Amino acid sequence: MRVTVASDHAGYDLKKKVVEHLLAKGFEVEEAGALSADVPYDYVEAGIKVAEDVASGKSDRGIAICGTGIGIAVVVNKHKGIRCGTCTNEYMARMSRCHNDANVIALGARVIGYQVALGIVDAFFEEEFAGDRHAVRVNEIKALEEKYFK
Ligand code: RB5
């Protein structure tokens, strides 16, 4: 599985932890976004990279990190084919997969600690989409995309 992980400056340190964690688990990782915690880097640019990689099929999943996990989630959700939730605990990560078939999660580096973040990341990859009634709802979301997104 190939994963794009990108952050702004606020998410840089957590991004490095997440990348290290995924590489240790055998994932193929595309790292993008901020090159340092000290030099401002817009979460918009980082989010676009994650979304474009996943929407194009270059990566299977994405992890988008900023200070709150909110701004970058807004950005990635502006892309057709992307379903991203900001997760602050493992339950949210599991449900984002199980109920929403999320292909990206957003993390807030100023909100959660490293251990919680890595637990969220593991849950995101462990959980499967449940389908059934949830597939009906995800298909409704896809229909919205057809209506409003190019
Ligand atoms: C950067 O200061 C901060 O605004 C950004 O990381 C994020 O929290 C935006 O939603």
Side-chain angles (χ1 to χ4, degrees):
M1 170 146 351
R2 185 180 163 88
V3 186
T4 295
V5 184
S7 75
D8 70 355
H9 57 284
Y12 177 80
D13 291 338
L14 177 56
K15 176 182 72 169
K16 300 307 284 184
K17 295 277 183 198
V18 168
V19 168
E20 185 186 329
H21 184 71
L22 290 176
L23 289 173
K25 291 197 157 222
F27 288 86
E28 193 184 336
V29 178
E30 166 84 5
E31 183 181 347
L35 298 173
S36 146
D38 303 321
V39 180
Y41 189 105
D42 280 355
Y43 63 82
V44 178
E45 195 177 334
I48 289 170
K49 168 67 176 165
V50 173
E52 289 187 346
D53 277 10
V54 176
S56 69
K58 186 176 173 193
S59 285
D60 304 293
R61 301 270 186 91
I63 299 179
I65 308 171
C66 67
T68 59
I70 295 171
I72 204 160
V74 171
V75 173
V76 297
N77 277 315
K78 296 286 183 197
H79 294 74
K80 187 174 179 179
I82 300 298
R83 290 175 301 282
C84 170
T86 302
C87 297
T88 57
N89 59 47
E90 283 184 33
Y91 177 77
M92 295 173 83
R94 289 193 188 285
M95 290 305 103
S96 79
R97 287 290 309 131
C98 188
H99 287 192
N100 313 119
D101 199 16
N103 46 16
V104 179
I105 51 169
L107 303 174
R110 293 172 177 164
V111 179
I112 53 174
Y114 294 146
Q115 288 315 312
V116 170
L118 298 183
I120 289 169
V121 168
D122 287 344
F124 177 54
F125 289 106
E126 281 164 16
E127 200 71 39
E128 297 291 338
F129 180 46
D132 196 32
R133 69 183 188 280
H134 303 294
V136 174
R137 295 158 186 165
V138 170
N139 284 336
E140 288 169 355
I141 294 170
K142 289 177 179 171
L144 272 181
E145 290 178 335
E146 291 305 321
K147 190 172 173 185
Y148 293 110
F149 287 9
K150 278 191 187 161

